[in-house]
Amino acid sequence: MTTAEQEYDVIVLGAGSTGENVADIAARGGLSTVLVESELVGGECSYWACMPSKALLRGSEVLAEARAVQGAAAAVTGEQDAAATLDRRDGFTHHWDDASQAEWVESSGIALVRGQGRLAGEKRVAVTRDDGTELVLLARHAVAVCTGSRAAVPPVEGLADVQPWTPREATSAKEAPGRLLVLGGGYVGSEMATAWQQLGSSVTLLQRGPRLLPNVEPAAGEAVAESLRGLGVDVRLGSEVRAARREDGGDVVLTTADGEFRGDEVLVAVGRAANTDEIGLDTVGLEPGRYLDVDESLQVPGVPWLYGVGDVNGRQQLTHMGKYQARQAGAAIVARARGEQVDLADWSPFVATADRRATPSVVFTDPQVASVGMTTAQAADAGVPHRVVEYPIGSVAGASLFADGYSGTAIAVVDTEREVLLGVTFVGSGVAELLHSATIAVVGEVPISRLWHAVPSYPTISEIWLRLLETYRG
């Protein structure tokens, strides 16, 4: 062993939230663990995604809720202070300083190596450190690749040349652009259009498909499109961008079949690409640039010491699902290091079954869209016998108290053979906090007959559960 080599039980490539959780579980299991990170400890969610984006949205959400209550609305006498909102956002990112998270790593007994890590053969990771020196790390048991994903820029003529915003720039901008073009109407595009329109930008959202949020129930995308238009966003559906250019004056111009659209900046939010291009996959017989193929315990088939966890496997690209996968993979790594059997059956302590059966997500638009499990279309595609039940959330007493003229929808997809919930979607103000009850019902496969005994408190929006069950029974 030379000074240029160090040996650990587990090496984790990437110290974002997924990598942190793998390392934490491994360390708690008694395994010596090292994290390798080339950017900020805490990763995308802490600095350029979940936290700053929700901070940008929260002020507008609070104002909308106050304006929707007679009496309280009279207290809203001014507009949102955009500069103060951005300052609050900066507080949540710790001004893009990872000192507190690095301190947590150290306090958890996990080593941290800063630099660019890459696989260098079996159970070997070579790290080019920030000072230019190289360190070779050796793993006794496992290497977990948690390098995440990056924004994908589609091959549209000229688009890469206009220096478009990715979600990183959209969540870290120091001021609102006068005119913002948003390319893509998924989670990120819809949220950022919501945020920046209310922080002073004039936003145009261009969605190639026929509706926003194409992976959730159609009613959700329709409600969000209507709301965005009500805020003043120019929502263009079925609009395919064919070319882009930035003019001498600074304008970004997007060309579509419907004509040209001009803005000061353009946000590209049309998907993600795996961060596997330069991490040495070829040294272990895998193809660089692709998502890692993994089994249910997040282990790479044919390379039993290698794990692909979080966005890097492309299964479910959500922070909380990356953390979930990390807990499962970490448990599998510890068990295998101890020589214990790892059960790959659904819902065992070592597998990520919820990736396939019960992924929860919230889109923090106005209205919010909270969903878990199968949509109507997914149940139909899977050939599962099912029935769809819908109920207007505004018809329950709790919703009418929450906001005057509350508008929203609850949709439940029920397996009619087993009489359990396959999926649930809530669309409306404040519905994010309803979601975990649905997640528990779906994961637990709680029979409809037993859900009848889960009595919702009155008067709360949770009474929507009773109305859905009543509608299902008829």
Side-chain angles (χ1 to χ4, degrees), residues 21-41:
N21 276 267
V22 173
D24 186 41
I25 297 296
R28 288 173 182 268
L31 302 180
S32 61
T33 306
V34 59
L35 278 164
V36 180
E37 178 54 52
S38 61
E39 293 190 290
L40 297 178
V41 176

Side-chain angles (χ1 to χ4, degrees), residues 371-423:
S371 61
V372 63
M374 286 185 169
T375 62
T376 304
Q378 289 166 343
D381 290 344
V384 181
H386 65 280
R387 181 179 160 201
V388 179
V389 180
E390 297 188 30
Y391 198 88
I393 299 175
S395 295
V396 304
S400 64
L401 289 169
F402 185 90
D404 301 335
Y406 188 106
S407 178
T409 304
I411 303 169
V413 183
V414 183
D415 183 324
T416 52
E417 279 191 354
R418 297 186 299 142
E419 292 250 305
V420 298
L421 289 169
L422 295 169

